[in-house]
Amino acid sequence: MYFYLIIALQAFCIYHVIKHRNPYYWIFLIFFIPLLGSVIYILTQVYNKRDADKITSGITNIINYQKDKGFRKEIRVFRNLPKQS
């Protein structure tokens, strides 16, 4: 069963290499060192710092919503709406 998951992971990584036109030595690394090569590729090429910064800033805005001026304005408008009965 694990063999098929590793093959699927390799296929995804090789597809990603070709689609994003990364250097072809990644294909050899993924093919000849199956699990380790795929994990290294994912950590270095798929998951990059820019994506991590976007996720971190999004989570920070969700947790610390009071810093978001637009959100505070929406809360004030919402509080001033007439109550529906």
Side-chain angles (χ1 to χ4, degrees):
M1 179 65 180
Y2 295 116
F3 180 72
Y4 296 118
L5 293 175
I6 293 171
I7 298 263
L9 182 64
Q10 281 182 300
F12 166 75
C13 290
I14 291 174
Y15 169 76
H16 194 272
V17 168
I18 294 169
K19 180 181 175 195
H20 291 280
R21 296 184 179 170
N22 289 332
Y24 284 107
Y25 64 82
W26 281 111
I27 294 176
F28 295 112
L29 182 72
I30 293 165
F31 187 72
F32 290 116
I33 308 172
L35 186 61
L36 185 62
S38 297
V39 169
I40 291 171
Y41 178 77
I42 288 173
L43 291 176
T44 60
Q45 302 297 316
V46 176
Y47 177 77
N48 56 27
K49 185 167 176 21
R50 185 180 63 229
D51 292 338
D53 289 341
K54 286 181 187 177
I55 293 169
T56 304
S57 68
I59 291 173
T60 304
N61 288 340
I62 290 170
I63 292 173
N64 198 359
Y65 60 88
Q66 292 181 351
K67 284 187 176 182
D68 188 7
K69 293 179 183 178
F71 184 78
R72 285 192 290 175
K73 182 180 176 183
E74 290 176 15
I75 292 292
R76 271 188 263 134
V77 169
F78 181 73
R79 286 183 183 164
N80 293 331
L81 290 176
K83 294 184 180 180
Q84 296 178 356
S85 46

